[in-house]
Amino acid sequence: MNFKQEILSSDSIQPSKLETCFARIKKEEKIALMPFIMAGDPDLNTSAQILLRLQAEGADIIELGIPYSDPLADGPIIQLAASRALSSGTSPKAVLEMLFNLKEKLTIPVVLFTYSNPLLNCGMENFCCQAAKAGASGLVVPDLPLEEAEKLSSIAAESKLDLVLLVAPTTPLERMKKICSRSKGFTYLVSVTGVTGERSNLEDRVNFLVQKIKQFSSNPIAVGFGISDAKHVSQVREWGADGAIVGSALVKRISNASDKKAVDEAGDFCRELRKAAG
Amino acid sequence: MPSQPKDHDLVISARPSSIGRFGRYGGQYVPETLIPALTELDNAAKLAWQDKSFTQELTHLLKTYVGRETPLYEAKRLSEHYQGKNGGPRIWLKREDLNHTGAHKINNALGQALLAMRMGKKRIIAETGAGQHGVATATVCARFGLACVIYMGKEDMKRQALNVFRMKLLGAKVHPVTAGTATLKDATSEAIRDWVTNVESTHYILGSVAGPHPYPMLVRDFHAVIGEEAKEQCKKAFGRSPDVLLACVGGGSNAMGLFHPFVEDRSVRMIGVEAAGEGVNTNRHAATITEGRIGVLHGAMSLLLQDANGQVKEAHSISAGLDYPGVGPEHSYFNEIGRAEYVAITDQEALTALQLVSEKEGIIPALETAHAFAFLEKLCPELAKGTEIVINCSGRGDKDVNTVAKQLKYMD
């Protein structure tokens, strides 16, 4: 084994920050609480405060949206949050700078959520390198399915970023196996055929999908899209998921609050969800 | 960047590749939820083209319902107008404006509706800019008794009120889109979101050679009838293929339909005309190939109007159908390998051309189509005598008369 191979193999043995986090939570028999916020909504300063508050209120992992003008996978709540963030002048670079400045204080893993175009525009290598420097642990790109993800996944791995892939209720079994085996950090299970947004009920088929995936994959499963309250978090925990991602419901609370109250509102909601997540 | 395409790059069956690529353009950049539906659509289309009962029904309806074939018309007075001292080119119009519903769009809408029924989908959605694709889709849905929802930007609904009324009359639901710039780009995003949500029951009739694979290929293949007819008609009219093909390009469906059967014949010069709006050096234009950079929009990698941060820019054109910041991936590919040329025409130049064609030929072209005509001004002086030009007269201008009247101050 030459030097380079040795480095590579030792890398693959060492678990990533996300893997370590999920392992700990599993041991504690909890479910990872994963709130989503849109960076720059209403402005980056407030976003930074919200991130720290979410951490203080027990969030395990944060999903941080980088705003994009044409978010295909997002419903109206997150679309509007992205529009507000863009009007306040939020660029991908500024989001990463904000994150970099929080590096000392924000110790829980951060997964960046953005679309193909802003990412390509930055250059994949450049983006991953900057994101890793800023302390991010993973990357979710909802319009980059398996076929298009291979290149980014290896580039991300070089920067020790986990590229998380998504599985949908419409995904056929064989394809699901492939996605789960290539997804790094965890597998993102989309709970509905649809876009992000609040829903009053979770579909029973999520239970079925979690069980099915567990049969062939040891990757942690985080459920997202439509998880709107503490009841839903308990539900997916009962169904055996490893993480619950709460996006639109939180983003709505932030956008409905007056500027000064946004941080408190986010914190209060996170505390409520924490109780359900164990 | 290769400037001279190799022969194998031009072979029709090689485009797109099995993974939906035209060179580096194309692909499938969509949420995972849609991937199985795109695979299903790709397979259904392949089977349908091999199935005689499908192609016969399509051909029959194109003839009896759409009114094909459309004439290749010699525009004598327009040709005369562009005669110089040494003579000038001969201008022919491929009269897609004479199709049922007034534009080329119905070729694709009809084909996809037949496909949707083969796949057992009873609900149809579509996006529309100028309203021509929306009207064509609403029309075929009425014809086959399919539920129909059309997504249209609120701004476009104002500009194209007549087409909104037509769609409603045809029994379609027109869903106003207020997000972003409230034009074609946002209507397309909203249609894709609907499809993500209702994919199990719904077919999305995408109206241009854009979007994720297989759409750029599928839409092209349904419009290729334009070029196939033109090829035969040219042979009959003057015994050979034309020298120049000219068509407007927004997403690029009418241009691709005309170009496709001629791609392998390098002696045929192909020119796509984009919308320069108020000028390509202003911020208000839709000249994607002229001014765009590589990016991803609505599921495909292609050239794209975007800012320094990769946010999609607002496009502008007087014609709602060209008002789009993206372009079909195969056009980006043709541009890159030098197989087609792309130029841009301003709002003002298009308006002037619309008047000229109306006065010289008694044909009021759509504002979109007028962009192709406008390029004759620049093209004709450099052409040798006896050059044969075919323009895709892609749509009629009835829908635009209000816009034109306002611009030309015909109205009080």
Side-chain angles (χ1 to χ4, degrees):
Chain A
M1 190 184 279
N2 66 29
F3 179 69
K4 200 177 170 192
Q5 278 170 331
E6 209 166 322
I7 297 273
L8 283 173
S9 66
S10 72
D11 266 6
S12 61
I13 292 163
Q14 196 168 14
S16 72
K17 198 169 171 183
L18 281 168
E19 285 165 349
T20 311
C21 177
F22 275 108
R24 172 183 61 78
I25 287 158
K26 198 175 183 117
K27 225 172 165 185
E28 294 171 358
E29 296 182 342
K30 293 177 182 171
I31 184 171
L33 178 59
M34 306 167 69
F36 167 97
I37 66 163
M38 179 58 72
D41 173 34
D43 56 66
L44 281 174
N45 218 345
T46 312
S47 295
Q49 292 174 47
I50 293 174
L51 290 176
L52 294 176
R53 181 68 70 88
L54 292 172
Q55 175 174 264
E57 293 295 352
D60 295 301
I61 296 166
I62 287 186
E63 206 184 325
L64 183 64
I66 298 179
Y68 173 52
S69 55
D70 295 79
L72 277 189
D74 285 306
I77 294 175
I78 295 181
Q79 278 176 49
L80 286 172
S83 298
R84 282 191 299 272
L86 290 173
S87 336
S88 75
T90 310
S91 67
K93 196 173 158 221
V95 175
L96 295 180
E97 272 169 19
M98 178 270 288
L99 206 53
F100 182 81
N101 292 331
L102 283 184
K103 217 173 163 181
E104 306 285 300
K105 295 180 194 156
L106 191 67
T107 54
I108 58 175
V110 174
V111 175
L112 299 171
F113 180 102
T114 191
Y115 286 82
S116 297
N117 199 56
L119 209 144
L120 283 171
N121 185 68
C122 289
M124 287 191 216
E125 285 91 352
N126 180 39
F127 181 88
C128 290
C129 183
Q130 299 302 323
K133 264 192 205 153
S137 301
L139 198 54
V140 176
V141 189
D143 63 345
L144 198 76
L146 181 65
E147 289 72 12
E148 313 289 353
E150 204 172 314
K151 192 174 166 201
L152 179 61
S153 189
S154 60
I155 290 171
E158 276 171 35
S159 294
K160 300 201 172 157
L161 280 180
D162 287 328
L163 180 66
V164 179
L165 301 181
L166 299 93
V167 161
T170 52
T171 309
L173 181 64
E174 284 311 306
R175 186 178 165 82
M176 219 175 243
K177 287 183 183 168
K178 248 189 225 167
I179 295 173
C180 292
S181 73
R182 310 246 171 105
S183 187
K184 305 276 175 60
F186 62 93
T187 303
Y188 193 132
L189 173 59
V190 177
S191 77
V192 291
T193 51
V195 292
T196 60
E198 286 187 297
R199 307 246 180 346
S200 46
N201 290 304
L202 285 181
E203 292 177 30
D204 285 340
R205 67 173 163 181
V206 177
N207 184 9
F208 169 76
L209 287 167
V210 172
Q211 303 315 319
K212 196 156 92 173
I213 295 170
K214 293 250 162 186
Q215 283 171 15
F216 54 77
S217 169
S218 56
N219 234 1
I221 304 167
V223 181
F225 287 40
I227 314 280
S228 310
D229 54 30
K231 196 177 78 219
H232 292 164
V233 174
S234 312
Q235 182 78 81
V236 294
R237 188 183 175 200
E238 254 168 56
W239 286 341
D242 304 283
I245 301 161
V246 182
S248 295
L250 173 59
V251 170
K252 196 170 104 179
R253 277 170 175 77
I254 293 170
S255 69
N256 284 349
S258 64
D259 283 1
K260 282 179 193 160
K261 282 273 170 85
V263 181
D264 290 338
E265 283 282 334
D268 292 348
F269 187 49
C270 187
R271 197 180 320 131
E272 210 177 288
L273 298 172
R274 181 70 261 174
K275 284 180 200 150
Chain B
M1 199 181 291
S3 58
Q4 256 302 315
K6 297 188 183 74
D7 282 334
H8 69 255
D9 292 332
L10 300 184
V11 173
I12 282 166
S13 58
R15 289 192 326 277
S17 70
S18 59
I19 52 165
R21 293 277 174 178
F22 303 90
R24 58 180 173 153
Y25 302 106
Q28 291 181 324
Y29 297 84
V30 291
E32 169 63 23
T33 309
L34 292 182
I35 295 290
L38 292 171
T39 309
E40 183 195 6
L41 181 59
D42 192 17
N43 292 334
K46 269 189 203 121
L47 289 174
W49 284 117
Q50 289 161 9
D51 181 349
K52 261 201 178 145
S53 70
F54 176 81
T55 51
Q56 278 169 354
E57 188 180 9
L58 179 62
T59 310
H60 175 72
L61 287 168
L62 282 174
K63 183 175 176 206
T64 59
Y65 188 63
V66 175
R68 301 205 74 93
E69 63 178 31
T70 59
L72 183 73
Y73 163 76
E74 184 182 352
K76 284 193 175 153
R77 297 228 310 141
L78 197 61
S79 302
E80 213 170 83
H81 176 81
Y82 286 113
Q83 294 253 320
K85 264 179 277 164
N86 311 316
R90 193 148 60 146
I91 300 163
W92 302 81
L93 311 189
K94 180 60 178 159
R95 295 292 308 276
E96 291 299 299
D97 58 319
L98 293 179
N99 281 328
H100 181 36
T101 71
H104 70 291
K105 292 287 184 188
I106 197 161
N107 301 325
N108 167 57
L110 176 65
Q112 284 202 46
L114 291 176
L115 257 187
M117 288 188 292
R118 279 174 75 95
M119 294 188 292
K121 309 255 169 123
K122 301 220 159 57
R123 178 176 179 267
I124 298 292
I125 55 169
E127 85 295 341
T128 198
Q132 289 305 107
H133 175 57
V135 168
T137 303
T139 297
V140 296
C141 286
R143 168 67 180 73
F144 296 115
L146 299 165
C148 180
V149 178
I150 304 292
Y151 288 91
M152 189 169 188
K154 212 169 178 185
E155 196 53 40
D156 289 340
M157 286 177 74
K158 259 190 265 165
R159 288 196 277 191
Q160 306 288 346
L162 178 65
N163 273 343
V164 173
F165 178 67
R166 289 166 82 194
M167 288 184 267
K168 288 182 177 167
L169 203 55
L170 291 159
K173 193 173 163 246
V174 183
H175 197 293
V177 177
T178 51
T181 54
T183 60
L184 180 56
K185 165 183 89 106
D186 309 287
T188 308
S189 295
E190 209 47 39
I192 294 175
R193 291 187 189 109
D194 179 315
W195 203 32
V196 173
T197 309
N198 301 297
V199 64
E200 286 152 313
S201 66
T202 299
H203 175 63
Y204 175 24
I205 301 190
L206 206 151
S208 194
V209 287
H213 176 69
Y215 281 107
M217 171 183 78
L218 188 70
V219 178
R220 173 195 76 189
D221 291 350
F222 283 130
H223 281 307
V225 66
I226 302 170
E228 283 156 10
E229 285 177 6
K231 204 170 189 176
E232 287 307 307
Q233 290 167 323
C234 286
K235 257 184 215 147
K236 270 188 205 149
F238 48 85
R240 59 181 179 88
S241 276
D243 301 296
V244 181
L245 302 175
L246 200 54
C248 64
V249 174
S253 67
N254 90 75
M256 196 53 76
L258 178 65
F259 293 175
H260 187 61
F262 294 98
V263 171
E264 288 174 73
D265 183 352
R266 281 201 220 178
S267 66
V268 180
R269 188 175 166 195
M270 312 193 304
I271 305 173
V273 184
E274 299 192 299
E278 294 173 8
V280 288
N281 44 11
T282 70
N283 252 331
R284 289 174 60 75
H285 65 81
T288 307
I289 294 183
T290 313
E291 289 289 312
R293 281 184 292 124
I294 191 165
V296 167
L297 179 64
H298 296 143
M301 184 172 282
S302 194
L303 294 170
L304 177 62
L305 296 177
Q306 55 186 320
D307 70 11
N309 292 316
Q311 307 297 348
V312 181
K313 270 199 200 167
E314 191 174 338
H316 166 81
S317 166
I318 191 172
S319 68
L322 303 183
D323 198 347
Y324 184 62
V327 65
E330 196 167 7
H331 284 296
S332 292
Y333 179 63
F334 285 166
N335 177 62
E336 186 162 296
I337 65 173
R339 180 58 191 96
E341 303 155 53
Y342 296 87
V343 296
I345 283 294
T346 64
D347 290 348
Q348 196 50 54
E349 290 168 320
L351 274 169
T352 307
L354 184 141
Q355 286 169 277
L356 180 74
V357 178
S358 301
E359 286 166 16
K360 294 284 177 198
E361 295 293 344
I363 294 169
I364 304 174
L367 271 171
E368 291 77 11
T369 313
H371 285 72
F373 280 109
F375 189 63
L376 288 170
E377 247 355 274
K378 294 173 188 168
L379 179 68
C380 288
E382 62 174 69
L383 294 178
K385 187 184 171 191
T387 304
E388 308 282 1
I389 304 180
V390 173
I391 297 190
N392 194 348
C393 189
S394 55
R396 67 178 185 222
D398 307 41
K399 67 181 178 62
D400 294 315
V401 290
N402 281 333
T403 308
V404 175
K406 224 185 262 170
Q407 291 289 327
L408 300 179
K409 307 208 168 24
Y410 281 169
M411 287 199 312
D412 294 323

